Amino acid sequence: MAVPEFTAVIPARYASTRLPGKPLLPIAGEPMIAHVWRRAWQSGAVRVVVATDDARIGEALAPYGAEVVMTRADHATGTDRLAEVTEALALEDEALVVNVQGDEPLMPPALIDQVARRLADDPEASIATLAEPLTEVESLFNPNVVKVVRAFDGRALYFSRAPVPWDREHFSDPPALLTTDAWLRHIGIYAYRAAFLHAFRDWPPAVLEQLEQLEQLRALQRGHIVQVALACTVNPPGVDTPDDLERVRRLTATRDHHSDRESP
């Protein structure tokens, strides 16, 4: 299936509570943001833009020839930052924009293409995103793992940090395993149309969004359609903590080692 034309935008903030300067932390000799930028270019994107509020990130990407757009530092969400970028790039209202998180240095390019296709396939949808089956009880009850419930046609019914859906018959005591494929973990990659981003920015935060601290609920509570596709490949974990960073460094070193061995 052909990939529709889309622009990949990578929001990259320098400030981070747990990992200050996260986009510039080195992985295999390169800043993290360079790995994300390269992954985005390996997708079907016709344009890849890094959106940042810190000149140091632009300077680090200069040797790669990356396109960087400087944005305001006071955006409340990454979606708000994307809205500013779409205006700066003068994108048409129907242009597709894929938000690739700046702390996902192992993001498979196939997932970037998939989320763009999902939005293009449903002209009524405002957002498309991805999910994968949840197989670990610990993740189901972990509030840092976002869960999503969807309809038969893939449209999101709800996103939550709580263990939804709740199995009334088996969750009275902590379960030992998940017996069906009803539980899905949300993967934080999104596709939007540019016009929707402009509207989203002007809406006040919704009650559900504030309670769950999940900005996609701002759209869902207003009745907008969010399409959720099951990821076509495994999405490796991103980088939120120092332990995550070390894990990604080990994975990258292992992949580079295998690549060197397979090279002629």
Side-chain angles (χ1 to χ4, degrees), residues 24 31 33-34 37 50 55-68:
L24 301 184
I33 190 64
W37 173 82
V50 176
R56 287 170 288 189
I57 293 173
E59 292 166 2
L61 286 168
Y64 300 89
E67 183 178 2
V68 177

Side-chain angles (χ1 to χ4, degrees), residues 15-69:
S16 172
T17 303
R18 288 179 286 189
L19 285 174
K22 182 163 62 170
L24 301 184
L25 295 175
I27 298 173
E30 295 184 304
M32 183 190 306
I33 190 64
H35 289 269
V36 182
W37 173 82
R38 187 178 293 112
R39 293 272 175 167
W41 264 126
Q42 291 168 354
S43 74
V46 297
R47 190 175 187 180
V48 178
V49 178
V50 176
T52 185
D53 56 3
D54 196 292
R56 287 170 288 189
I57 293 173
E59 292 166 2
L61 286 168
Y64 300 89
E67 183 178 2
V68 177
V69 172

